[in-house]
Amino acid sequence: MGFQTLTILGSTGSIGKSTLDVVARHPEKFKIFALTGNTQVDLLFEQCVLFKPTYALLVDPRAAQKLEQRLKQMGLKIDVLSGAKDLDLLASHGEVDTVMASIVGAAGLSSCLAAAKAGKRLLLANKEALVVGGHLFLSQVNSGNAKLLPIDSEHSAIFQSLPEDPSTWDQRIQKIILTASGGPFKARDPSTLHLVTPQEACRHPNWVMGQKISVDSATMMNKCLEVIEAHYLFGLDPKKIEVVIHPQSIVHSMVQYKDTSVVAQLGTPDMRVPIAYGLGWPDRIESGASQLDFQNTPPMTFEDFDSHQHRDRFPGLLLAWEVLNAQPGSTGVLNAANEIAVDAFLNQKIKFTQIHEVNRRTLDLFAPGPITSLDDLLILDSHARLVARSVVEDLSKL
Ligand code: NAD
Ligand code: MG
C-alpha cells in the first residue's frame, strides 16, 4: 500500500500536535499534504520544517506573510496560503486521502463539509462542527461517500465497541454510556463556582487540552456537546445515551447491548490512542501512549450524574437532551452561545456560572429557522452569536 496523504486542519493545536506525533512514528505510512493554523507562525514554521507539506495555511494574512518569508529563507518550497476560504480547498484537494479536522469551534464547519463532500476519510475531533452541522453534515458524508471516524476519545471508544455493520446498531444496542471525568470541579461546592477563575477552569486533572475544551470540561458542556455528537454519529435516540462520572478516565466509554452485556474500551488517557485508531483504521498502529498498568491502576469508580449535587454543579449537561428534542438547528444555537460565553469568561467579562446563563437565555430568545444549506447554518450561527453577545453585555453590566 502507498502513502496515506493527510491534511491536518488545526495542526498547531493540542490535537494537531498529537496527530503529528503519531504521524512521525510512521514515516512509511503517511505523507503530509497540508498543515494549517490560525495565527501561530513559529509553531507552524517548525512543523513545516519537520514535515515538509506541500501547503501551509495561516488564517491571519500577516502571520501567513511572515511564515512565507521564513520558509523562503530556509529554501523550503512550500506554498503558503491565508484566509479561511482556502481551508476548504486543502480539505477537499484531489491529492488528499485523509483530513484530520482539529480546528476548534464552528470555524471548522465549512472545511469539514468540504472534506465530506469530496469523499475523504474524515477524522473528526472538531465536535462543534457536527453539533452545528447535524443532519446536513451527515447527508454530505453520505452523498460524498466519505468515511467519518470519531477522534473524541469517548466516541472512538464507542465506535471500537460496536459491531462493524452500522445497520445492526439500533436493533442491538440498549444504550451507550459516555464516561465523563467530571473535570476540575466535580467535588467543588456549587455555591462557590461563581468564584472560579479562567486559570482554575483550564487546569484539567487528566488531560492537557486547548482552552475552549478545557472550560467546556469544567462546565461539563463538553459532555453536553458529546451527547449531541454521539446522537449524530451513531444514529441513536437521545434516550439511549447516558452519562456516568468516572474520574479516572480509564474506561473511555461503553456500549450496553440488549442482552445486558457491556462492551467498553479502556486505556491510559492519551489522545494519541484515538488518533492512531483513526489514522490506522481498520488496522492498529503504534500510538506512543503508555500501556495501562493494571497492577498500579487506581481503583475505578463510577458516579451517577444525578447524585452528589452534580445537577447543580453542571446544569449545562441536560441541555443536550433539550436541544436534541427541540427544532433542528437548536444544537447550533446552543453551540454558538457556548462559544461566545466561553470566550467572554476567558476574557473575564462574565463569571463561570454565567456561561450557563448565556446558553440558557440564548436558547430561550432565539428560534432557529429551517436549514437546508451551509449558508443557512452559517447565518444561524452568526445570528445566535449576536443574541449571545447581547446577553453577555447585559450580564457584564450587572
Ligand atoms: P486548540 O485550541 O489546542 O487548537 C485549535 C486549533 O484550531 C489550532 O490549530 C488553531 O490555530 C485552530 N483555530 C482556532 N481558531 C481558528 C479559526 N477561526 N480558523 C481556523 N483555525 C482556527 O484546541 P484542541 O484542544 O486541539 O481542540 C480541537 C478540537 O478537538 C476541538 O473541537 C475539541 O473539542 C476537540 N477535542 C479535543 C481534545 C483534546 O484533548 N484536546 C479531545 C477531544 C476533542
Ligand atoms: Mg471527549
Side-chain angles (χ1 to χ4, degrees):
M1 209 181 93
F3 286 102
Q4 215 185 112
T5 317
L6 270 171
T7 283
I8 304 180
L9 303 169
S11 66
T12 55
S14 161
I15 293 289
K17 285 188 276 185
S18 295
T19 304
L20 286 174
D21 182 290
V22 177
V23 164
R25 290 164 197 278
H26 305 279
E28 75 296 351
K29 284 195 165 67
F30 304 106
K31 230 189 196 119
I32 302 291
F33 177 74
L35 296 175
T36 85
N38 197 16
T39 57
Q40 285 179 277
V41 180
D42 291 347
L43 182 54
L44 193 55
F45 173 74
E46 277 170 37
Q47 294 179 342
C48 284
V49 172
L50 278 174
F51 292 93
K52 303 192 173 49
T54 309
Y55 288 96
L57 179 149
L58 282 168
V59 175
D60 179 62
R62 286 181 46 193
Q65 223 172 28
K66 278 191 205 149
L67 177 70
E68 191 168 25
Q69 279 165 4
R70 290 185 59 185
L71 290 170
K72 253 198 198 131
Q73 279 165 7
M74 283 282 287
L76 282 174
K77 284 208 186 80
I78 296 173
D79 276 321
V80 177
L81 305 175
S82 76
K85 264 210 140 13
D86 283 344
L87 289 169
D88 295 9
L89 205 86
L90 297 178
S92 59
H93 196 283
E95 283 179 38
V96 175
D97 303 310
T98 299
V99 174
M100 167 56 83
S102 54
I103 289 174
V104 58
L109 173 63
S110 175
S111 49
C112 277
L113 292 186
K117 241 191 274 181
K120 304 302 181 194
R121 177 196 284 237
L122 178 53
L123 310 185
L124 186 74
N126 183 195
K127 66 193 84 183
E128 296 93 344
L130 185 55
V131 168
V132 177
H135 292 297
L136 185 76
F137 191 128
L138 297 176
S139 76
Q140 307 241 325
V141 168
N142 282 337
S143 65
N145 210 10
K147 180 72 199 169
L148 180 61
L149 292 165
I151 296 301
D152 219 343
S153 58
E154 296 77 359
H155 305 74
S156 174
I158 289 165
F159 186 66
Q160 294 180 54
S161 305
L162 284 170
E164 220 160 281
D165 179 2
S167 70
T168 64
W169 292 351
D170 191 48
Q171 170 232 330
R172 292 185 186 171
I173 297 168
Q174 185 75 37
K175 62 182 175 189
I176 59 175
I177 304 162
L178 295 175
T179 51
S181 71
F185 306 132
K186 65 179 171 296
R188 180 149 171 157
D189 177 353
S191 70
T192 67
L193 280 173
H194 62 289
L195 301 170
V196 163
T197 64
Q199 213 189 6
E200 280 178 281
C202 288
R203 219 180 290 132
H204 195 279
N206 304 351
W207 305 90
V208 179
M209 310 179 285
Q211 276 195 322
K212 197 261 174 180
I213 184 175
S214 297
V215 175
D216 283 346
S217 298
T219 55
M220 275 190 82
M221 276 306 291
N222 182 49
K223 211 52 54 179
C224 168
L225 298 175
E226 289 184 358
V227 169
I228 300 167
E229 184 186 9
H231 162 74
Y232 287 124
L233 279 174
F234 306 116
L236 290 176
D237 190 303
K239 283 199 288 267
K240 289 185 166 187
I241 307 173
E242 252 179 45
V243 171
V244 66
I245 309 247
H246 168 49
Q248 299 80 21
S249 299
I250 292 171
V251 176
H252 295 310
S253 281
M254 311 177 245
V255 178
Q256 184 176 315
Y257 287 91
K258 289 263 165 80
D259 59 4
T260 74
S261 273
V262 176
V263 180
Q265 185 259 350
L266 282 69
T268 45
D270 186 326
M271 284 308 293
R272 289 176 299 178
V273 179
I275 290 169
Y277 184 74
L279 285 170
W281 182 89
D283 285 339
R284 298 273 180 173
I285 61 171
E286 196 211 317
S287 66
S290 56
Q291 292 181 35
L292 202 53
D293 172 4
F294 281 100
Q295 269 69 48
N296 294 299
T297 308
M300 287 195 269
T301 57
F302 300 91
E303 288 169 25
D304 183 6
F305 175 75
D306 288 325
S307 61
H308 303 283
Q309 295 181 295
H310 289 325
R311 274 177 188 259
D312 296 338
R313 229 174 253 124
F314 306 119
L317 175 62
L318 298 176
L319 295 177
W321 291 272
E322 180 181 322
V323 292
L324 283 174
N325 288 318
Q327 279 163 281
S330 302
T331 56
V333 175
L334 176 59
N335 178 71
N338 187 54
E339 287 194 36
I340 293 297
V342 170
D343 186 65
F345 167 67
L346 286 170
N347 288 302
Q348 299 185 313
K349 280 187 135 188
I350 59 169
K351 294 186 182 125
F352 182 74
T353 41
Q354 289 176 324
I355 295 174
H356 179 64
E357 256 183 276
V358 173
N359 294 343
R360 174 74 275 159
R361 285 203 212 173
T362 306
L363 280 174
D364 291 342
L365 287 167
F366 186 78
I371 292 157
T372 55
S373 67
L374 172 60
D375 276 348
D376 293 341
L377 287 173
L378 296 177
I379 290 167
L380 174 121
D381 177 68
S382 69
H383 283 180
R385 277 167 202 263
L386 281 179
V387 174
R389 275 197 200 96
S390 75
V391 177
V392 165
E393 286 313 314
D394 288 349
L395 289 172
S396 60
K397 279 188 210 133
L398 293 177

